[in-house]
Amino acid sequence: MATFNNIETETFPVIGMTCASCATSVESMIQAQVGVEKSEVNYATQSVKVSFHPDVVQPEGFQKAVQSIGYDLIVDTQSGKEKQEALQYKNHQTLRNHFIAAAIITAPIVIIGMFFMNIRFANYYMLALSTPVIFVFGKSFFINAWKQASHRKANMDTLVALSTGIAYLFSLFNTFYPEFWHNRGLHSHVYYEAAAVVIVFIMLGKLLEERAKSNTSSAIKKLIGLQPKTVLLITDNGEKEIPVAEVRIGDRILVRSGEKIPVDGKLYEGNSFVDESMISGEPIPVLKDMGDTVFAGTINQKGSFRFTADKVGGETMLAQIIKLVQDAQGSKAPVQKLVDKIAGIFVPIVIGIAILSLFVWLVFGGQNALTQGLLAMVTVLVIACPCALGLATPTALMVGIGKGAENGILIKDAEALESGYKVNAIILDKTGTITEGKPTVTELIWDANLPLNQQTLSGILLSLEQQSEHPLAAAIVQYLRGGKTNAVAVTDFDSITGKGVKAELDGNKYWAGSHKILSDEQISVSSDLQNHVTELQKQAQTVIYFADTKQVLAIVAITDRIKEGSKKAIEQLMSQGIDVYMLTGDNHETAAAVALQTGIKKYKAEVLPSDKSDFVKKLQSEGKVVAMIGDGINDSQALAQADVSIAMGKGSDIAIDVAKITLVSSDLQQVSKALKLSRLTVKTIRQNLFWAFIYNLIGIPIAAGLLYPVNGFLLNPMIAGAAMALSSVSVVANSLRLKIAKLD
């Protein structure tokens, strides 16, 4: 047998799914195709994610398979979502019109059936009115049920078609042959109103369900709405407005005050303050100057600027965020896979219970056995609904993931959201996670006796560091420029590897670098400055010396600052009973200083990337559910190993790719929010599943006539239809409550 190594994974919109059993049917049909590795349908997002071998099978093959059982697949990956939305809108309008027409026609049927049963030709009036309701406005139920049956499958349409079809045929027989019952001393009941009302209630349920489902995906619509539709392209002939889809890499674009930035790129002219809260979560606008990067979806506050497009279309940061949210909302939680299996066998079991209830009535039902048995069978078929089960998990996940996206917490898959609430151990990387991840000057301390004034010496230090290639030099340059220092023209600049830099001004030599320069050049340090050095080193700060040939003129203290919210975030996690660990590749002194300042009791220093992964495994072997939080390439191995992996949004692309959750703002306080969101979502899923199961466990026996021997109560099929519609809507409404939940 030939083997094919290349596997593609695509997500395709599905048209025509009306229940959880439909989703199971679509999934199994695609899974059965040769060359398909994995097929996952998400009923809530109306999509299927397929991993397949393109050498063996193409999406058109999936489309034909799905069409054969009454559904359709949109294989256009470029504009599939737009086509699906257009078709869904069209189908929604058709369903709405059919519902209104069916409801208007059904109203007189109910009035006759309830209050005017004894008027002449009552049954014929109801027959004439109910026929279009059932077979014109409700024909889709019968068409879909037949297509399912032809492939030995069953779904909710099967239940609706069987229940209304049997009620209609039974009533039709009783309308034309009433004497069959009269001769046996029984009244010939008809159930036209029950069949018509069931169709109307189920159509109403579908309408409400569609509206509710569209609300759950509002987070994606909000994200998509952040990108402008058109851009101002700068050409040789002036400015030209073009659709954003036509922008290419290298195009020059003008952004005016108050406008949204259309694509990612770099400024080459002008400057402005840009609101980047969409990406960073920070409300304060960021100054953008020449060479700075701007992102699609962010808003230009003041002033206009021009930039060159670097990333367009699906490559922009905004597009990546949208894709991340879409993929997550389309992924399945482990609990959903179990629910799908139940939904798959649900319909055949319900049909079995319906037939059994008819049989029991025929045996023990007395003189009205057949009528009441048929009524019980119809009611069982009507009340049983796999939709509530099918919607319980995905709707809660969609709202939860959308809620996360709105709060700067991007969740890649459902499993991470479902596992988050179990976390009892969190491992934090130090650099970039607890700290800012970049060196910052904390102090510049001058000696009491200086040969020149501070301003001139600051200019010399700036000139030295501007020409240095050392990673810490940039921090000193930024600090001095912030203090309005101007560089002076120095000569004979030289970089001494591992020690520092030197240059001359007016015949005098100046040095900037590590303590090695002092011993090599025999430069003295005043006792006052030395005391400062000792104190700074205790705090794990790096000290840079600035000296002339005789003495140290100043010391510069540099550290990787602890983020503002880190200490509070760690306290919050510890207060929830979560064990917090810090792992860092840095030295013991720095690790101890950071641990002391943040309140972390357990930490390890000088840790290699593989050691981090091993530490995760060690905690897992002790029975802990571990969350790893990191931002660098060195964290990716541990992130992949952890039960829940969280990356900082400002970290490396690799860390973000590996992690299941990304904190856009890189604020550790978001971790508590993410875990709370997980708890709330799982609680909502459990509530939904509880009510969906309870509804069916209570509803089906009552529909079968369980209460009849006790108090003579038989459930009317009309009430059953209303209850069935209500069960689906209540599950979705409960999920939507997550939207107003507070994560703080």
Side-chain angles (χ1 to χ4, degrees):
M1 183 179 159
T3 57
F4 300 92
N5 295 322
N6 55 326
I7 295 176
E8 285 184 14
T9 301
E10 294 280 0
T11 300
F12 305 100
V14 182
I15 303 297
M17 289 194 297
T18 55
C19 69
S21 294
C22 302
T24 308
S25 298
V26 171
E27 193 171 283
S28 60
M29 282 303 283
I30 294 175
Q31 189 69 57
Q33 302 303 301
V34 177
V36 172
E37 286 286 318
K38 192 180 182 187
S39 163
E40 265 192 2
V41 171
N42 187 300
Y43 175 46
T45 58
Q46 299 280 296
S47 63
V48 58
K49 191 176 181 181
V50 189
S51 297
F52 62 98
H53 296 279
D55 309 309
V56 182
V57 66
Q58 286 295 312
E60 288 73 20
F62 316 147
Q63 189 180 35
K64 283 178 186 169
V66 166
Q67 284 170 342
S68 71
I69 53 167
Y71 308 105
D72 202 357
L73 207 65
I74 298 174
V75 294
D76 178 2
T77 53
Q78 293 300 313
S79 56
K81 207 71 188 166
E82 290 80 3
K83 285 182 180 176
Q84 184 188 33
E85 282 178 10
L87 278 168
Q88 282 175 338
Y89 178 75
K90 186 182 172 187
N91 292 344
H92 182 271
Q93 291 300 102
T94 304
L95 180 62
R96 182 173 159 273
N97 295 338
H98 281 186
F99 164 71
I100 293 167
I104 291 167
I105 297 170
T106 300
I109 304 174
V110 173
I111 294 167
I112 295 168
M114 294 284 189
F115 309 109
F116 302 103
M117 267 301 293
N118 297 320
I119 64 168
R120 201 175 175 200
F121 303 123
N123 287 358
Y124 292 97
Y125 294 144
M126 288 192 287
L127 167 63
L129 289 167
S130 64
T131 301
V133 172
I134 296 164
F135 297 111
V136 176
F137 303 123
K139 69 178 179 181
S140 62
F141 297 115
F142 294 90
I143 292 166
N144 291 338
W146 173 253
K147 284 180 177 177
Q148 290 286 318
S150 64
H151 285 83
R152 295 181 183 176
K153 293 181 183 294
N155 65 359
M156 195 190 81
D157 293 331
T158 311
L159 298 181
V160 176
L162 279 173
S163 59
T164 55
I166 290 167
Y168 180 85
L169 291 172
F170 181 62
S171 302
L172 194 66
F173 177 84
N174 289 358
T175 301
F176 291 106
Y177 302 103
E179 62 278 2
F180 176 85
W181 302 104
H182 295 160
N183 294 340
R184 289 161 176 78
L186 298 171
H187 185 70
S188 56
H189 287 285
V190 293
Y191 297 101
Y192 292 120
E193 81 283 6
V197 168
V198 164
I199 294 284
V200 168
F201 271 134
I202 287 168
M203 288 168 97
L204 173 63
K206 280 179 185 288
L207 270 177
L208 294 172
E209 190 184 300
E210 287 297 321
R211 183 175 293 179
K213 280 197 295 191
S214 70
N215 279 338
T216 64
S217 58
S218 61
I220 296 225
K221 287 173 184 166
K222 279 182 192 171
L223 286 169
I224 291 168
L226 289 171
Q227 189 175 43
K229 300 283 181 283
T230 59
V231 303
L232 276 176
L233 183 72
I234 299 163
T235 66
D236 295 336
N237 302 320
E239 294 154 16
K240 178 185 171 189
E241 191 170 304
I242 62 165
V244 72
E246 291 178 16
V247 177
R248 298 289 174 261
I249 292 169
D251 281 353
R252 292 172 300 154
I253 294 162
L254 172 67
V255 180
R256 297 196 186 106
S257 179
E259 289 181 346
K260 287 176 183 171
I261 293 162
V263 294
D264 295 1
K266 276 195 172 63
L267 260 75
Y268 71 87
E269 188 181 303
N271 57 46
S272 181
F273 283 92
V274 174
D275 177 359
E276 290 191 339
S277 57
M278 180 274 292
I279 285 169
S280 66
E282 300 298 326
I284 301 162
V286 180
L287 176 64
K288 296 288 180 180
D289 221 324
M290 271 182 63
D292 288 341
T293 302
V294 290
F295 300 102
T298 56
I299 302 162
N300 180 25
Q301 298 276 291
K302 294 174 182 174
S304 63
F305 60 82
R306 299 176 179 216
F307 75 98
T308 308
D310 278 353
K311 291 180 180 177
V312 299
E315 297 301 312
T316 66
M317 192 175 201
L318 176 62
Q320 294 297 320
I321 290 171
I322 291 168
K323 187 174 186 303
L324 205 68
V325 176
Q326 281 175 333
D327 287 348
Q329 290 190 334
S331 65
K332 280 191 186 178
V335 69
Q336 180 61 19
K337 290 170 185 174
L338 174 65
V339 172
D340 285 350
K341 284 181 184 173
I342 295 167
I345 58 168
F346 183 87
V347 174
I349 287 171
V350 168
I351 293 169
I353 293 170
I355 294 166
L356 181 65
S357 64
L358 172 63
F359 177 75
V360 171
W361 272 102
L362 289 174
V363 175
F364 302 105
Q367 64 176 148
N368 291 327
L370 182 60
T371 305
Q372 289 173 330
L374 281 170
L375 191 65
M377 182 170 77
V378 167
T379 311
V380 167
L381 292 169
V382 169
I383 202 165
C385 178
C387 290
L389 282 175
L391 288 167
T393 305
T395 50
L397 287 170
M398 282 181 74
V399 179
I401 287 163
K403 178 85 175 172
E406 286 168 14
N407 283 273
I409 302 162
L410 300 178
I411 298 152
K412 262 193 197 171
D413 73 10
E415 199 168 341
L417 192 59
E418 203 188 324
S419 305
Y421 81 102
K422 301 176 194 167
V423 167
N424 52 20
I426 287 180
I427 298 170
L428 302 171
D429 169 52
K430 179 185 75 72
T431 309
T433 302
I434 296 173
T435 65
E436 289 177 352
K438 58 180 182 182
T440 311
V441 173
T442 55
E443 282 183 279
L444 172 58
I445 304 166
W446 292 95
D447 189 62
N449 303 306
L450 297 174
L452 297 168
N453 64 57
Q454 269 187 33
Q455 193 174 354
T456 306
L457 291 170
S458 294
I460 296 167
L461 177 59
L462 176 58
S463 300
L464 283 167
E465 296 297 354
Q466 269 181 339
Q467 297 177 67
S468 172
E469 293 176 359
H470 194 278
L472 298 179
I476 299 171
V477 169
Q478 190 179 1
Y479 178 83
L480 290 170
R481 278 183 178 160
K484 307 297 181 193
T485 299
N486 295 315
V488 296
V490 294
T491 57
D492 296 332
F493 175 84
D494 190 21
S495 177
I496 305 145
T497 307
K499 293 178 183 177
V501 291
K502 68 172 183 176
E504 285 188 24
L505 178 70
D506 299 333
N508 295 316
K509 285 183 182 176
Y510 294 93
W511 307 80
S514 70
H515 63 89
K516 289 177 184 174
I517 284 178
L518 307 187
S519 52
D520 287 0
E521 302 298 325
Q522 296 177 341
I523 299 168
S524 64
V525 188
S526 69
S527 58
D528 190 33
L529 277 184
Q530 187 58 54
N531 290 338
H532 280 297
V533 170
T534 306
E535 195 58 42
L536 290 166
Q537 285 175 337
K538 278 181 188 172
Q539 296 168 23
Q541 296 202 44
T542 303
V543 176
I544 299 293
Y545 298 88
F546 173 48
D548 59 15
T549 50
K550 296 173 186 172
Q551 69 179 91
V552 172
L553 305 170
I555 55 169
V556 185
I558 298 177
T559 190
D560 182 3
R561 271 203 188 117
I562 291 168
K563 287 180 191 170
E564 213 171 294
S566 289
K567 188 178 181 186
K568 190 180 174 186
I570 289 160
E571 284 171 358
Q572 282 174 344
L573 294 169
M574 285 177 164
S575 70
Q576 293 167 29
I578 296 169
D579 292 333
V580 178
Y581 302 84
M582 180 182 76
L583 302 184
T584 177
D586 217 329
N587 61 59
H588 287 279
E589 290 78 12
T590 307
V594 171
L596 185 69
Q597 289 174 64
T598 54
I600 293 173
K601 306 287 187 293
K602 302 165 184 173
Y603 65 90
K604 287 181 82 174
E606 296 178 6
V607 175
L608 297 170
S610 58
D611 296 336
K612 290 183 181 180
S613 178
D614 291 340
F615 190 73
V616 173
K617 286 179 191 169
K618 178 177 170 284
L619 291 179
Q620 287 170 331
S621 69
E622 293 168 9
K624 292 188 183 294
V625 179
V626 183
M628 172 72 197
I629 305 171
D631 77 320
I633 295 167
N634 62 328
D635 300 318
S636 55
Q637 205 175 332
L639 286 167
Q641 177 63 39
D643 299 296
V644 177
S645 46
I646 303 173
M648 293 292 164
K650 292 176 183 173
S652 75
D653 290 345
I654 293 173
I656 292 167
D657 284 346
V658 171
K660 298 290 172 68
I661 297 172
T662 301
L663 307 179
V664 176
S665 67
S666 295
D667 182 359
L668 263 186
Q669 290 182 85
Q670 294 286 81
V671 175
S672 279
K673 286 187 182 180
L675 298 184
K676 185 176 181 184
L677 178 63
S678 169
R679 276 195 297 277
L680 290 171
T681 306
V682 170
K683 184 181 171 186
T684 304
I685 289 170
R686 285 175 175 170
Q687 287 170 348
N688 287 351
L689 288 172
F690 173 79
W691 289 115
F693 276 112
I694 285 292
Y695 163 79
N696 281 299
L697 285 171
I698 294 172
I700 290 172
I702 291 173
L706 192 70
L707 296 178
Y708 188 76
V710 181
N711 57 12
F713 178 78
L714 257 183
L715 191 65
N716 189 307
M718 286 191 294
I719 307 298
M724 192 276 281
L726 190 65
S727 70
S728 290
V729 175
S730 63
V731 159
V732 178
N734 188 47
S735 295
L736 289 170
R737 286 193 314 119
L738 267 175
K739 278 192 164 193
I740 55 169
K742 286 189 166 58
L743 299 181
D744 295 321

